[in-house]
Amino acid sequence: MSKKVIWSLIILIALLVRTYDLPHGLHFFESTIGWRAQNLLNFGKDEFGRALPIIFSNWQKIELPLPTYLTLPFVLIDKTNPFLLRFPFALLGTLSVFAGMLLSKKLFPERKHLDLYTGLFLAISPGLIGQSRTTSPELVFFTLTLWGLLFIINKGKYSYFGSCLLFLSFFTSDISLFVLPVLFLVLILLGVEKKKILIAAIGFPISLLLLLSASGGLESLINNNFSLLQNRGILDDVNKIRGEELARGSPFFAKIFFNKLFYIIKISENFLSHINPSFIFAKGDGNPLNGNSNFGPMLVVTLPLFILGLFRIPKNKHFLLLASIFILSAIASLFMLSAPYTNRFLLALFPLTLIAGYGLTLVPKRFVPIVLFAVFFNFSVVLYDGIFKEKERGKKTWNPETYNLALKLKGEYSGKKIWVTDKIDPNPGPTIAYVAQVPYTDTNLAKEKNIYRAWVSKIKDIDIGNIASYSQDSQNFNLVLISKEDIPTIKDQKIFSCKWDEIEKDLSANVYLKCI
Amino acid sequence: MKNKLLILIFLIGLLARVLFLDKYPVSLTIDEVAIGYNSYSILKTANDEFGNFLPLAFQSIGDYKPPLLIYASIPAIALFGLNEFSVRITTALIGALTVLAVFALSKQLTKNLYVSLVCAFLVAVSPWHIKFSRSTFEAVTALFLSLWGIYFFVKSAKNKYRNLWISSIFFSLSLYAYHAQRVFTPLLVLGLFFIFRKDFAKQKRALFKSLLLGALVILPLLVVFLNPKTTVRAQSTFITRDFEINRLLHKAGENLNLSAKILDNNIILVSNFWTKRYLDYFDPNFLFIKGMDYTKANAPDIGLLYLTELPFFLFGLYLVTFRNYTKDIKTKSIIILLLLLGPLAASLANNAQHPLRSLTSIPVLQLLSSIGIIEAAKQVKNLKTRTTILGVLALSLMVNFVYFLDLYFLHYPLRSSEYAMDGWKKATLFAFENQHKYNEVIIDPKFGTEGPYTTGVPYLYFLFYGKVDPQAYQQDPRRKKEDYNFGKFTFRDINWVFEENSDRWAKDKLFIGSKWVLPAEGGEIVKVFNLFNGNEILRAAVPKSELKTQEK
């Protein structure tokens, strides 16, 4: 079989596993992007009513623009199709596999088949697949950075294209602000022209300024990247132990052992959590949004190959680049309250898969088919789990109940005054708005003017909130939708005195309907 | 000089293991009192607490204990009586002697005196090894025996395996010492045979002799294993019993389609789960930051190894695995074998990241740190700079050691005393002192500061601290009929409710239990027993019988 055919096969596999059987339901991060894209296409304005903005708010964070704008051509085809909303990310995920193959060939031209092995491991990496199946800004960052690296280390006329891609990387995810500047320094050390780096580096201050200039930008940057330093609990725990020391009358130990230097330990802990083999090869971060929650971002059978690769690869001059990328990927989560996160660590998948691929090139030829069989078997296990079991585990992430509810609200319940609980999903508004293609003018967001952590609590005749805030007197609702979890918290039992009816079996066993 | 240094290291290790041994840990655990009383029972009657003659598996709560430590503890108990010190001293001494075993083994493997001394020192001050050496944990003895087993195995290679039989005895004895060794030792021996396979092809006679001797030593144990009850512990703690995986396993009779049979069968599910557990033992945070779990989550803690060792550990690992630190492939293979096998038995059990069960990873982790330290020092050519760097390193290790002592002696007791069954000693002594005033003393085994969520085994504390004559206990008619009850002591749930015939109307009875079963109403609290941290854990009460008519 010719190499081109194998390349094509790997790309095909990569695309297939990134687009087949996408999760039913939408995480509110996804539906916000979809709903925003609808508004941008319909009115040229985002969900807050701002004309073609270059910075967005998405409830828990301020978002950089590239991921949203990338979805526009696909949302244009069908504005309420979740598959099309996610498709550009699947495509970019596939392109990242291609970039990985080219880059490994470029860095290690002497290793026969290394490009194929790296590509294969990237194509079937559970972590990368997971990120390619959702609207992940980190995936966009990963793809642009890989392509950028590929071009920028070239000496030809296209190398400036690499600078442009790396420049654009700054507008994908805030982790770029931590990773790219240091990566640029490494590239300079490796002899990449400073001029090219400078062009790419212009993105850093612009992106940072954009984030900081947004309403709540600084807060978002801190909350989403420096949560460790914000958490009061850590200092409380240190103080408690300090108090035990003082109570025993040893203020000296209290001072030297239990002080704010503990933050350095916590930061080290965050870093070390990324080099836990169990995280990389076995269990990941357990968040279905970041990949299959039952497996690591790398297949476990690639662990021995990775170790084998490590035996030899340090002697290669490009090892510094690979090691730097790995370390930088961990740096992105250093100041988080807990770590690691698969999505923030995504860039490390390139050196990891490359080193595992390098290991495979060291395996005697006659054993390669056996190893590949083991790899495919391992992948089949992950695939089976993903198709048949992950759906149940990821229910609270993808919220199929909210999506089904949104379809009902759009259809037979449209025109009624409805109150919806926030218990079935912490933020159901964006999905309801996305499915019903609600114009930005018909929600509370337009009035709130881009407030950080603004929450969709009103869409046309639909109110969303906590059952505790529900009051029969204030509104005349035709429908009140609550979940089982709400029942014990209802204060005024009289207003819900009649018998509960389940909406319909297909809607959800967890959502109840009450006719007032 | 070498000997002086080694003696100094040994003394540090010894002191760290025996100082305040009777007071810290603050309370004897259930396992400690069980081991102590059974040793006492064997000493006095040659029978265990249940009257079994010189058993090789000691019936206990939820398991059958390996026999070695119980027999090994007899001399100390004979010398010092039945108390905290006598129960713990045997393990503490074995723990201290392990430092010497570590020195001998690392010297044998690396042929480097400095590496061996540093390795011995790191084990001597190890927060991991000290903790378990100060309590009566069988794993410490098992480790000690395994280390000498490896040592004599490697050493015998030099004299045509003539002394291999010594190794064989140590390995076989280790199987009598701790459950985990029954997985670790056979695999270790197999691994060693594989590494030395070419030599053995020429030394079949020595090999045969050693195998035969080993088989003879473990034969009685194999006979014990024929009793299915003795394997209860292994079954109940096996990984498949872990709640996390157990609920995900397919049940017998469940219909699976072909793809599920291939890709989602129980072997795959358990393997995937086990992989996570096994790799978790190589989690740097577990090893260097918080594995010992002395304080609550997120608070400053300590790892199995000192944080200062981390860079040197990584350097040592790099040198041994990726560079040819040692040209002897056998040494390299043994180090890697120990590294991989160390956490294996622990990972097959039902708890994640269990420092005690993974004690078999000592001393290979410290050995890698030592290699890293000595080789890093060698990189510095200037003698002054080298001395300064080593001095700073030594100071840093000292600070780490003091930090560990502070956590261990001050903070850990505050947090762990409830878990360690603190309070039962005081309650027992009180009960024995006052038993003459009552017809019956009733003890409720459930307790806890936040709720009655822990079920203790108070009868063992009563036997131990009451120094109950084993002969009398074995013959006690109540014990024979009613499981653990003996003399005036009854161990059962207390029923203090406001009902006819409940315990609150009982006459001439003393009740010992937690505040959850002995509220102040309806009774008189005669004594409160507090934990090390001052929280109440148990109380003794007598019913106010005279209130009966009035309240009714």
Side-chain angles (χ1 to χ4, degrees):
Chain A
M1 215 188 301
S2 83
K3 208 163 183 178
K4 276 185 186 167
V5 175
I6 302 175
W7 272 52
S8 313
L9 264 175
I10 291 171
I11 296 294
L12 195 68
I13 291 171
L15 188 62
L16 254 174
V17 295
R18 280 157 179 76
T19 50
Y20 174 70
D21 196 27
L22 293 178
H24 180 64
L26 287 162
H27 189 274
F28 63 81
F29 278 159
E30 297 180 304
S31 43
T32 303
I33 290 180
W35 178 42
R36 183 188 295 149
Q38 289 167 357
N39 278 292
L40 285 168
L41 288 168
N42 291 339
F43 311 104
K45 291 182 176 177
D46 74 351
E47 69 273 28
F48 287 92
R50 298 173 310 158
L52 295 175
I54 43 175
I55 200 90
F56 299 105
S57 298
N58 191 347
W59 193 42
Q60 287 182 331
K61 64 196 294 186
I62 301 293
E63 282 182 347
L64 288 157
L66 217 51
T68 294
Y69 283 106
L70 270 171
T71 60
L72 292 188
F74 299 90
V75 174
L76 186 62
I77 300 168
D78 181 347
K79 287 178 184 150
T80 54
N81 186 334
F83 177 84
L84 285 171
L85 173 64
R86 289 162 172 162
F87 187 70
F89 297 88
L91 209 57
L92 282 176
T94 310
L95 283 175
S96 71
V97 174
F98 194 42
M101 289 201 275
L102 292 170
L103 196 53
S104 57
K105 196 176 167 71
K106 175 83 197 158
L107 295 174
F108 301 89
E110 73 286 0
R111 301 307 305 181
K112 211 179 160 190
H113 303 321
L114 177 60
D115 49 347
L116 296 178
Y117 298 151
T118 309
L120 176 68
F121 292 157
L122 278 172
I124 60 177
S125 148
L128 190 54
I129 292 172
Q131 286 293 290
S132 309
R133 288 162 65 89
T134 178
T135 58
S136 160
E138 288 79 16
L139 185 271
V140 185
F141 165 73
F142 174 68
T143 310
L144 287 182
T145 305
L146 273 197
W147 280 102
L149 274 174
L150 175 68
F151 281 105
I152 209 166
I153 57 172
N154 268 315
K155 286 197 173 131
K157 55 181 175 178
Y158 295 115
S159 60
Y160 282 96
F161 184 55
S163 307
C164 298
L165 290 173
L166 288 172
F167 170 83
L168 286 175
S169 265
F170 278 112
F171 302 94
T172 53
S173 160
D174 46 11
I175 61 167
S176 62
L177 298 170
F178 298 88
V179 176
L180 290 181
V182 194
L183 182 62
F184 290 166
L185 291 177
V186 175
L187 288 175
I188 290 171
L189 277 177
L190 289 172
V192 175
E193 267 179 70
K194 284 181 189 163
K195 201 174 150 191
K196 290 186 211 165
I197 299 290
L198 205 65
I199 293 170
I202 295 169
F204 176 74
I206 300 175
S207 173
L208 188 64
L209 275 175
L210 271 178
L211 273 174
L212 294 177
S213 62
S215 160
L218 179 64
E219 209 181 336
S220 162
L221 200 64
I222 292 170
N223 286 345
N224 292 294
N225 298 285
F226 298 94
S227 48
L228 173 72
L229 308 177
Q230 281 202 309
N231 186 275
R232 184 67 221 170
I234 292 172
L235 278 186
D236 286 349
D237 284 342
V238 173
N239 283 336
K240 195 179 169 202
I241 292 202
R242 218 179 147 105
E244 288 171 3
E245 288 284 349
L246 294 173
R248 196 182 61 166
S250 47
F252 179 67
F253 282 173
K255 267 185 193 165
I256 62 162
F257 289 142
F258 308 107
N259 50 47
K260 285 180 183 162
L261 285 177
F262 181 55
Y263 279 109
I264 295 178
I265 303 288
K266 294 300 284 182
I267 289 166
S268 313
E269 193 180 319
N270 281 348
F271 178 78
L272 294 175
S273 65
H274 293 91
I275 54 173
N276 177 4
S278 185
F279 161 66
I280 299 172
F281 295 98
K283 59 182 187 187
D285 65 7
N287 182 355
L289 194 61
N290 296 335
N292 189 319
S293 58
N294 195 29
F295 298 93
M298 295 273 290
L299 293 175
V300 72
V301 291
T302 58
L303 173 59
L305 298 173
F306 175 77
I307 293 171
L308 193 61
L310 268 185
F311 273 106
R312 290 281 289 279
I313 215 163
K315 288 171 189 160
N316 191 289
K317 61 178 177 175
H318 292 301
F319 180 67
L320 177 65
L321 178 65
L322 298 178
S324 307
I325 293 175
F326 180 87
I327 292 167
L328 290 177
S329 308
I331 283 177
S333 302
L334 278 193
F335 302 100
M336 302 291 281
L337 186 57
S338 66
Y341 292 94
T342 307
N343 57 336
R344 298 175 77 90
F345 189 60
L346 209 57
L347 195 58
L349 287 183
F350 174 65
L352 289 169
T353 49
L354 191 144
I355 295 170
Y358 198 99
L360 186 50
T361 63
L362 300 171
V363 171
K365 244 185 178 176
R366 62 183 185 281
F367 294 124
V368 171
I370 300 170
V371 175
L372 286 176
F373 173 78
V375 168
F376 277 109
F377 183 76
N378 190 177
F379 180 60
S380 306
V381 169
V382 177
L383 209 59
Y384 180 91
D385 184 277
I387 293 170
F388 296 103
K389 295 180 149 184
E390 181 67 5
K391 277 178 191 162
E392 192 54 39
R393 287 194 295 262
K395 246 184 170 176
K396 290 213 160 180
T397 303
W398 306 113
N399 299 302
E401 291 169 359
T402 311
Y403 187 70
N404 290 340
L405 179 69
L407 288 172
K408 284 274 173 195
L409 293 173
K410 181 189 173 187
E412 59 201 81
Y413 300 130
S414 67
K416 292 182 179 176
K417 281 189 74 67
I418 300 167
W419 191 89
V420 179
T421 177
D422 61 357
K423 277 277 162 55
I424 47 165
D425 176 345
N427 191 12
T431 305
I432 294 169
Y434 167 73
V435 170
Q437 262 202 82
V438 175
Y440 70 93
T441 46
D442 289 357
T443 75
N444 60 308
L445 288 194
K447 290 163 198 145
E448 287 174 5
K449 294 289 174 223
N450 190 25
I451 296 169
Y452 172 58
R453 286 184 182 270
W455 192 67
V456 185
S457 59
K458 191 161 180 59
I459 305 166
K460 278 194 197 169
D461 293 328
I462 302 169
D463 276 27
I464 302 162
N466 191 301
I467 191 72
S469 67
Y470 172 78
S471 156
Q472 193 189 20
D473 302 332
S474 58
Q475 298 282 344
N476 287 318
F477 294 103
N478 304 116
L479 287 169
V480 178
L481 297 166
I482 66 164
S483 80
K484 277 179 189 169
E485 292 165 53
D486 286 316
I487 296 171
T489 61
I490 296 169
K491 285 177 193 161
D492 185 1
Q493 293 288 341
K494 281 182 202 162
I495 59 171
F496 294 107
S497 57
C498 70
K499 202 179 167 186
W500 302 105
D501 301 303
E502 255 179 87
I503 276 190
E504 265 169 40
K505 275 182 186 168
D506 72 332
L507 185 55
S508 159
N510 197 30
V511 180
Y512 285 79
L513 167 69
K514 172 73 178 82
C515 311
I516 302 286
Chain B
M1 183 64 186
K2 166 200 133 183
N3 287 342
K4 279 182 189 167
L5 265 177
L6 186 60
I7 290 168
L8 181 68
I9 290 168
F10 172 72
L11 285 176
I12 292 172
L14 182 68
L15 284 176
R17 283 157 181 80
V18 299
L19 276 183
F20 314 116
L21 196 60
D22 55 334
K23 291 192 179 69
Y24 296 94
V26 289
S27 171
L28 289 178
T29 62
I30 294 172
D31 285 334
E32 288 183 294
V33 285
I35 289 171
Y37 189 75
N38 276 293
S39 295
Y40 184 63
S41 184
I42 294 282
L43 173 71
K44 298 283 181 190
T45 66
N47 293 320
D48 71 357
E49 60 171 294
F50 296 98
N52 301 313
F53 179 69
L54 297 178
L56 286 176
F58 282 80
Q59 189 183 342
S60 192
I61 306 300
D63 77 339
Y64 274 76
K65 289 195 182 306
L68 198 72
L69 186 57
I70 293 177
Y71 288 109
S73 301
I74 292 172
I77 286 171
L79 260 173
F80 304 110
L82 199 55
N83 54 49
E84 287 91 348
F85 181 80
S86 68
V87 173
R88 288 172 174 164
I89 188 66
T90 308
T91 306
L93 286 177
I94 292 171
L97 289 169
T98 303
V99 174
L100 299 180
V102 166
F103 173 79
L105 177 61
S106 45
K107 179 89 191 304
Q108 196 65 47
L109 289 175
T110 63
K111 315 278 187 281
N112 187 317
L113 175 68
Y114 298 109
V115 168
S116 324
L117 283 171
V118 173
C119 188
F121 175 71
L122 290 178
V123 173
V125 297
S126 158
W128 186 13
H129 194 255
I130 290 173
K131 177 188 172 177
F132 296 120
S133 300
R134 291 182 64 91
S135 296
T136 317
F137 283 110
E138 296 121 329
V140 176
T141 312
L143 174 71
F144 175 75
L145 294 167
S146 297
L147 292 184
W148 284 117
I150 307 168
Y151 170 78
F152 282 110
F153 194 107
V154 180
K155 193 176 165 66
S156 69
K158 284 181 187 162
N159 60 6
K160 297 184 178 172
Y161 298 96
R162 274 187 214 123
N163 296 330
L164 191 64
W165 62 274
I166 306 176
S167 164
S168 176
I169 289 175
F170 276 112
F171 280 139
S172 304
L173 283 177
S174 76
L175 302 180
Y176 286 87
Y178 186 47
H179 297 300
Q181 240 63 14
R182 293 167 188 175
V183 176
F184 174 76
T185 303
L187 290 173
L188 174 67
V189 171
L190 276 177
L192 289 172
F193 278 141
F194 182 77
I195 293 166
F196 290 82
R197 63 192 180 282
K198 284 180 187 159
D199 295 6
F200 285 126
K202 299 169 204 158
Q203 303 294 337
K204 284 179 186 155
R205 208 172 151 186
L207 177 66
F208 179 72
K209 252 171 52 182
S210 307
L211 283 176
L212 190 69
L213 186 65
L216 280 174
V217 178
I218 60 171
L219 194 64
L221 193 66
L222 292 176
V223 175
V224 170
F225 285 157
L226 291 177
N227 178 1
K229 281 183 184 171
T230 56
T231 55
V232 163
R233 178 71 176 170
Q235 287 166 23
S236 65
T237 56
F238 192 60
I239 189 168
T240 50
R241 302 300 290 269
D242 192 287
F243 169 73
E244 251 185 85
I245 183 67
N246 192 267
R247 68 196 166 92
L248 301 176
L249 293 178
H250 299 292
K251 305 293 174 280
E254 198 176 318
N255 267 337
L256 299 177
N257 58 31
L258 183 66
S259 54
K261 276 179 187 164
I262 299 169
L263 301 171
D264 194 45
N265 57 60
N266 281 352
I267 296 173
I268 299 261
L269 295 178
V270 174
S271 305
N272 183 39
F273 185 70
W274 169 78
T275 310
K276 293 175 192 176
R277 285 287 169 89
Y278 177 69
L279 292 178
D280 266 339
Y281 281 96
F282 298 98
D283 174 5
N285 281 323
F286 171 66
L287 293 174
F288 295 96
I289 304 234
K290 56 185 183 184
M292 290 312 295
D293 202 17
Y294 283 141
T295 58
K296 59 185 266 197
N298 282 328
D301 210 317
I302 199 164
L304 310 188
L305 290 90
Y306 292 120
L307 191 54
T308 307
E309 292 178 57
L310 174 60
F312 303 103
F313 171 82
L314 292 175
F315 188 49
L317 183 68
Y318 169 74
L319 291 173
V320 171
T321 50
F322 302 132
R323 299 275 151 154
N324 287 327
Y325 165 74
T326 166
K327 282 173 187 145
D328 181 9
I329 190 74
K330 284 177 187 155
T331 301
K332 184 173 174 169
S333 305
I334 292 170
I335 293 175
I336 292 172
L337 178 72
L338 289 173
L339 190 64
L340 296 178
L341 280 185
L344 185 70
S347 68
L348 287 168
N350 62 353
N351 297 92
Q353 297 189 330
H354 201 289
L356 175 66
R357 291 186 188 138
S358 60
L359 208 64
T360 37
S361 290
I362 291 177
V364 71
L365 302 178
Q366 287 86 351
L367 182 62
L368 292 171
S369 299
S370 318
I371 291 170
I373 289 170
I374 297 302
E375 292 304 309
K378 275 188 192 168
Q379 307 290 319
V380 185
K381 300 292 172 208
N382 186 305
L383 192 65
K384 257 190 180 175
T385 321
R386 189 193 295 180
T387 316
T388 314
I389 290 172
L390 283 175
V392 171
L393 175 65
L395 185 71
S396 170
L397 279 171
M398 286 271 289
V399 172
N400 275 239
F401 185 48
V402 174
Y403 172 67
F404 154 65
L405 295 176
D406 186 57
L407 282 183
Y408 183 81
F409 286 108
L410 173 64
H411 304 284
Y412 182 54
L414 292 172
R415 185 178 169 234
S416 70
S417 53
E418 181 179 343
Y419 168 75
M421 309 285 153
D422 191 17
W424 283 110
K425 177 184 177 180
K426 292 173 204 160
T428 304
L429 294 177
F430 177 81
F432 271 93
E433 265 172 39
N434 293 281
Q435 60 167 317
H436 63 278
K437 299 178 193 165
Y438 305 95
N439 288 335
E440 191 180 9
V441 181
I442 295 156
I443 304 106
D444 191 313
K446 294 194 184 77
F447 68 102
T449 47
E450 303 294 324
Y453 42 71
T454 308
T455 302
V457 188
Y459 90 91
L460 277 171
Y461 288 87
F462 275 71
L463 291 178
F464 185 94
Y465 287 112
K467 296 183 174 58
V468 175
D469 177 16
Q471 185 84 40
Y473 177 67
Q474 287 159 30
Q475 302 303 326
D476 190 288
R478 284 195 74 201
R479 186 198 76 82
K480 285 184 176 172
K481 272 191 213 163
E482 305 164 28
D483 282 343
Y484 305 115
N485 302 338
F486 65 94
K488 284 186 177 179
F489 304 109
T490 303
F491 303 90
R492 64 161 172 83
D493 290 352
I494 293 171
N495 178 18
W496 204 252
V497 293
F498 196 78
E499 276 173 11
E500 191 75 31
N501 300 325
S502 76
D503 289 325
R504 71 190 292 162
W505 317 122
K507 274 183 180 177
D508 301 324
K509 287 184 181 177
L510 175 69
F511 291 87
I512 293 175
S514 67
K515 60 186 173 188
W516 311 107
V517 292
L518 290 173
E521 326 68 86
E524 185 190 335
I525 308 299
V526 290
K527 183 87 179 168
V528 169
F529 309 104
N530 291 335
L531 292 171
F532 185 81
N533 60 18
N535 292 336
E536 178 187 331
I537 188 71
L538 293 167
R539 53 175 61 171
V542 288
K544 284 182 186 167
S545 304
E546 67 275 15
L547 295 175
K548 186 176 178 180
T549 332
Q550 213 179 322
E551 283 183 20
K552 273 178 132 182

